[in-house]
Structures are given as structure tokens and as C-alpha cells.
Amino acid sequence: MLPSLPFDPSLVLIGGSWRSTTDTLPLVNPSDGSTLCQIARSTEADVDAAVAAAQSALDEAWGRMSALERGRCLTRLGQLVLEHTDLLTTLETLDVGKPVTQARADAIALARYCEFYGGAADKVHGETIPYLDGYTVYTLREPHGVTGHIVPWNYPMQIIGRSVGAALAMGNACVLKPAEDACLTALMFAHLAKEAGFPDGALNVIPGLGAQAGAALARHPGVHHLSFTGSVQTGRIIQTLAAENVVPVTLELGGKSPQIVFEDADLDAALPFLVNAGLQNAGQTCSAASRILIQRGVYDTVAARMAEAYHAKRIGPAESDPDIGPLVSTKQKMRLETLLAAAQNLPCIAETPMPADLPREGAYIQPRLYGPVPPDHPLAQDELFGPVQVLIPFDTEDEAIQIANGTIYGLVAGVWTDSGARQMRLAKALKTGQVFLNNYGAGGGVELPFGGIGKSGHGREKGFEALYGFSTLKTVAAKHG
Ligand code: ADP
């Protein structure tokens, strides 16, 4: 059951006012299948109103606000997020099925994004450029205007923090479309943003279906930049819609990220990262380490120790703070079961025990560790988005690089080795947006630019880099003789 809320979850926030929509959708708790509440099913008319409200904010108070004041609003918002960590944690736990400790970490990360971008808002500036005699030339960093943010259900708070936080810092007015499976923390964030003093229309939130509200936002001619995190299929649709309006898009589309373990690695240090980066959030993480490449001499040891860790994990309803909760929905569970049909002939070396008393209507799936798996097998190539990892043995460094780079994705990679020279070689050779040497940071790192290559997408979020993505550069050339 939902705790009492300071907002009505069936409403949308447009231009600073909570409004009803013509229709609603049920929001389900994936831990037990119960309906938590009704949420808005925004229509094209709601999207039009939200985009118009964002544009008005740019034309009025929000557009006139100094970078310093924008930063202060964000910093206050970060403080309010911290003060409401308990409620945000409960909402995410119920809505996404995320274990309490992991949901709390996301709430704290959301506060961190607000603090980071609050502090950065007045520190992004242009340059002066030496040009011809008699000229002064400089550049200005300006907001795109109205930015559309289409957010998935796996890490709502972190993804809102990294995209909306950076966009607001640069003075854009945001229209946020949270996922239909998880939108309570987005609404709570909007409630807190009002309290933090953001002018009306600086942040608008319109829950609804992807194909309806999401598509209407992506093709809206009044939107000047789109940020999307989600599946490759949907990313392709969004980029195509954005192309009609010729607007820039940031796409973060997941991956099949490897961790590579060499024989000289510190296995005690590596082990928790190898397993947890695959099972965190029940494997529903864009940067999940879903492939573990292991050098032949330590293959048996690493496989046995990972299997042990799988057996020791606890599955349960998210509210009981297990290691692994349910998937976000029965739709995701069915999708994963279909993909796992391809694994029938693969050796499954560990399954986490499923407690007999799990709620029958919950979206639980048994975590599974497969190995050895041929690198070109569908299970080692396709993003599964569930608590499943594959182990792939290799002999040489070159072979490891070839296997690691041998998917359509390129988001994150981890390398475990004692050799500094090898660390440097792999950091260059791996075709990904991030490389972790002797650590692995699935999802973390507010300060660290993040994004992919290949089918993992393009553009960078997080860190200072995101501020460049959420702004446009104007060159001013003055001739004064
Ligand atoms: P999933 O299928 O796991 O929900 P998606 O990538 O489809 O993953 O969803 C991520 C986000 O994209 C959600 O907010 C969803 O509502 C939205 N979305 C889904 N389909 C579309 C679409 N055709 N146009 C715009 N947004 C969409």
C-alpha cells in the first residue's frame, strides 16, 4: 500500500499546476502484483500544454534567471531530496520492486546530481578566440530551449537526476515523461522542485504511455533537444522522430558490458564486483556486467566462487530488502523467459534458490549463471536485462579484447589485472564509453561522463560533459576596428 503522499499521483504537473488528464492507468507493485494507484495517461493535448508551459517559462521568469539563481534552486532541491529520502525510497521500492537499500542509494544519487549540477550551473562559460585584427570574438553557452526527457523504469531517480538536473542547470525548460511502469518518484521530484522555488513551467511532468505521450513528445516541433534512456528499438523510433524536427538527441540504450578477469587479478577484490554488477537491481541495469570474461588459468576458481555467491543471494519482495527483488513487471518477466529459451543447451552452473513463500503474483525470476558460453551465442550477444550472467573463458589478451569488443554494444567495461601496462593497453583498446580498471561502477559516478558507442547510443550524460550536451554554443564576432 502507498504511504500518504503530498501530491495526487493521478495528476500531471504542467506550468506549475497539478492537472487531471482524461484517462488514467493502473500502477502495479511488481513484488506482489497489487495495484498501487492510478496514474495519468497523458495525451497529445497534455504534451502540447506541457511544451507550451515550458516555452512560457523560458520567455518569462525562468529564462531571465541568472545561472547563480538556477544553481541555488537545484541545490535547494538536492537538500529537499535528502530530507525526503525515506519517502522517495519507499516509493521506488513499491513502484519498481527495487530492494530498499538499492532504492535508498538511488535517492541519495538524485540528491547528489542536484548538488553537483547546482554547483556547476554558474561555472560553464564560453571562450574568447583570437581572430583578425580589429575583431573581438567570443562564445556563449546557451540553453537549447525546451528539452524532452523520456525516462525508463529501471533507475528513475538516477536518470532524472542526470538528465533533468543538467538540463535545468543550463537553463533549459524540461518536459519529463517518466515510464508508465514507474513514475512516483518523478512526481515527488516535481513536487519538491515546486517547493525549491523553480518558476512555473521550468519542470513539467507528464506520465503516460510510451507510444502515446512519449511519441507525442519526441515528435513535438516545440521541443529543441531530446534525451532518452531505454531500449534500442525505442531509441531508434525516437531518433527518427527527432530527425523530422532536426533536433539533437542523447540516446543511452544499454549494453552487453564485459568484466575481464586476468590470471594476475586480485580475485578477492574482483569477486563482489563481478557478481553484484550483474545482479544489482535484478540485472535491470544498462551497464550491468552481463558478460564475465575469465582467463583460462583462473576460470574454474572464478566460476566456482561466483556460483557460491549466486547460491548465497536472497530473493524476496523489495520491501523486505533482499539482495534481489522482482523484475519491474510481468511483461519484463515474460520477455526474459522468452530470451532464456535460447539457453536450454548451455551449462547453467548456479541458480539462486527461490523461496517457497514468494507472492504468486510477483514478477520474480530465478537468477542464473551460465558458463562456459561461446562468445557468439545469443545469450552472450543480446541484452537480457535480467539477473543472468554468462562466463566466457579466454587465453590471451588479444582474444579478450576481441571478445569484449565483439557485440553491437559499447557502454562500459571492467578490467581486473595487476599489470599496469595491460591496464593502459586495454583502456585504449576497449570500444566503450567507460572503462573501469580494478573496479566496476555500474550506474554510479555522478561526476563521470557516461554514454555509449555503437548500439549503446550516443551523447554523454553525467559529469560536466552533460552541461555541454544540454547547451548550444553561439559565436559572437564583433568588428570594432
Ligand atoms: P521498455 O520496453 O522496457 O519499457 P522502452 O525503451 O520502450 O523500454 O521504454 C523507455 C521509455 O521510453 C519509457 O518512458 C517509455 O514509455 C518510452 N517509450 C516507449 N515507446 C516509446 C515511443 N514509441 N516513443 C516515445 N517514447 C517511448
Side-chain angles (χ1 to χ4, degrees), residues 385-447:
F385 232 58
V388 179
Q389 287 175 291
V390 299
L391 307 183
I392 305 172
F394 68 88
D395 290 299
T396 64
E397 184 180 309
D398 283 348
E399 191 189 354
I401 293 168
Q402 199 189 348
I403 296 171
N405 289 341
T407 73
I408 59 170
Y409 297 104
L411 192 59
V412 176
V415 180
W416 296 89
T417 174
D418 223 20
S419 158
R422 175 179 278 153
Q423 290 170 17
M424 295 302 108
R425 284 194 298 272
L426 268 97
K428 283 196 173 168
L430 292 169
K431 296 190 192 314
T432 56
Q434 285 186 332
V435 176
F436 288 93
L437 304 171
N438 289 333
N439 71 105
Y440 192 88
V446 168
E447 305 85 349

Side-chain angles (χ1 to χ4, degrees), residues 150-153 177-181 208-211 214-215 218 228-231 234 237-238 331-332:
I150 299 176
V151 167
W153 42 260
K177 210 298 280 172
E180 47 272 51
D181 296 306
L209 295 171
F228 170 77
T229 303
S231 61
T234 307
I237 295 173
I238 286 173
K331 178 181 138 199
Q332 286 300 319

Side-chain angles (χ1 to χ4, degrees), residues 329-476:
S329 61
T330 45
K331 178 181 138 199
Q332 286 300 319
K333 179 179 161 165
M334 278 155 51
R335 188 195 60 89
L336 183 56
E337 280 171 350
T338 308
L339 289 171
L340 286 177
Q344 264 165 4
N345 297 324
L346 289 177
C348 177
I349 60 167
E351 290 176 332
T352 302
M354 297 285 268
D357 58 352
L358 284 177
R360 285 172 56 85
E361 304 302 320
Y364 299 94
I365 194 143
Q366 187 160 35
R368 292 189 192 117
L369 181 64
Y370 291 94
V373 175
D376 56 355
H377 191 280
L379 224 63
Q381 289 286 320
D382 301 335
E383 187 180 41
L384 300 173
F385 232 58
V388 179
Q389 287 175 291
V390 299
L391 307 183
I392 305 172
F394 68 88
D395 290 299
T396 64
E397 184 180 309
D398 283 348
E399 191 189 354
I401 293 168
Q402 199 189 348
I403 296 171
N405 289 341
T407 73
I408 59 170
Y409 297 104
L411 192 59
V412 176
V415 180
W416 296 89
T417 174
D418 223 20
S419 158
R422 175 179 278 153
Q423 290 170 17
M424 295 302 108
R425 284 194 298 272
L426 268 97
K428 283 196 173 168
L430 292 169
K431 296 190 192 314
T432 56
Q434 285 186 332
V435 176
F436 288 93
L437 304 171
N438 289 333
N439 71 105
Y440 192 88
V446 168
E447 305 85 349
L448 314 180
F450 176 73
I453 61 171
K455 300 289 184 289
S456 289
H458 49 75
R460 294 291 175 265
E461 294 191 314
K462 299 190 179 188
F464 228 75
E465 197 63 31
L467 298 167
Y468 303 128
F470 280 110
S471 59
T472 178
L473 196 70
K474 179 186 280 172
T475 304
V476 182

Side-chain angles (χ1 to χ4, degrees), residues 21-358:
T21 51
T22 43
D23 211 351
T24 58
L25 297 163
L27 193 68
V28 171
N29 176 352
S31 287
D32 60 12
S34 63
T35 298
L36 289 166
C37 62
Q38 295 292 313
I39 58 159
R41 178 181 172 161
S42 301
T43 60
E44 198 162 342
D46 300 311
V47 175
D48 282 345
V51 172
Q55 187 57 55
S56 297
L58 289 166
D59 296 339
E60 293 162 21
W62 179 239
R64 286 195 298 271
M65 199 178 258
S66 68
L68 170 67
E69 280 304 323
R70 291 199 307 266
R72 283 186 176 148
C73 284
L74 271 165
T75 305
R76 279 197 296 275
L77 179 53
Q79 187 56 40
L80 287 168
V81 168
L82 278 182
E83 285 165 20
H84 293 84
T85 299
D86 286 348
L87 181 54
L88 285 161
T89 301
T90 303
L91 296 183
E92 205 77 309
T93 297
L94 294 171
D95 197 352
V96 179
K98 189 171 290 214
V100 176
T101 303
Q102 295 174 42
R104 185 172 295 279
D106 286 3
I108 289 166
L110 174 59
R112 249 321 266 136
Y113 279 112
C114 295
E115 289 166 354
F116 181 90
Y117 288 120
D122 61 351
K123 294 169 189 66
V124 184
H125 42 72
E127 298 177 315
T128 53
I129 300 173
Y131 191 51
L132 304 175
D133 186 38
Y135 281 80
T136 297
V137 180
Y138 59 95
T139 57
L140 295 171
R141 279 258 157 223
E142 297 184 337
H144 289 292
V146 177
T147 50
H149 304 259
I150 299 176
V151 167
W153 42 260
N154 59 339
Y155 287 83
M157 285 193 275
Q158 293 216 30
I159 294 168
I160 289 169
R162 77 186 190 205
S163 81
V164 172
L168 289 172
M170 292 312 294
N172 298 282
C174 302
V175 179
L176 166 61
K177 210 298 280 172
E180 47 272 51
D181 296 306
C183 63
L184 292 177
T185 49
L187 294 168
M188 180 67 189
F189 183 72
H191 165 77
L192 295 177
K194 257 173 89 66
E195 216 173 304
F198 279 92
D200 293 347
L203 172 62
N204 307 275
V205 182
I206 43 157
L209 295 171
Q212 188 179 19
L217 182 60
R219 66 167 173 261
H220 201 291
V223 172
H224 307 110
H225 179 282
L226 280 160
S227 158
F228 170 77
T229 303
S231 61
V232 176
Q233 298 100 294
T234 307
R236 207 173 266 133
I237 295 173
I238 286 173
Q239 181 153 355
T240 306
L241 292 172
E244 290 294 319
N245 294 318
V246 197
V247 295
V249 193
T250 303
L251 296 179
E252 199 272 87
L253 308 179
K256 193 73 184 174
S257 296
Q259 290 199 61
I260 309 170
V261 187
F262 286 91
E263 284 161 3
D264 62 353
D266 177 347
L267 295 187
D268 290 337
L271 246 297
F273 288 88
L274 300 182
V275 176
N276 295 341
L279 297 184
Q280 177 183 318
N281 198 27
Q284 303 165 112
T285 305
C286 309
S287 51
S290 48
R291 294 185 296 155
I292 308 294
L293 281 48
I294 310 167
Q295 202 164 19
R296 194 90 50 188
V298 288
Y299 180 86
D300 289 341
T301 309
V302 173
R305 291 184 65 180
M306 285 186 70
E308 210 176 294
Y310 265 65
H311 292 136
K313 293 285 178 200
R314 198 170 64 79
I315 302 177
E319 301 93 292
S320 69
D321 201 19
D323 300 309
I324 301 161
L327 298 187
V328 73
S329 61
T330 45
K331 178 181 138 199
Q332 286 300 319
K333 179 179 161 165
M334 278 155 51
R335 188 195 60 89
L336 183 56
E337 280 171 350
T338 308
L339 289 171
L340 286 177
Q344 264 165 4
N345 297 324
L346 289 177
C348 177
I349 60 167
E351 290 176 332
T352 302
M354 297 285 268
D357 58 352
L358 284 177

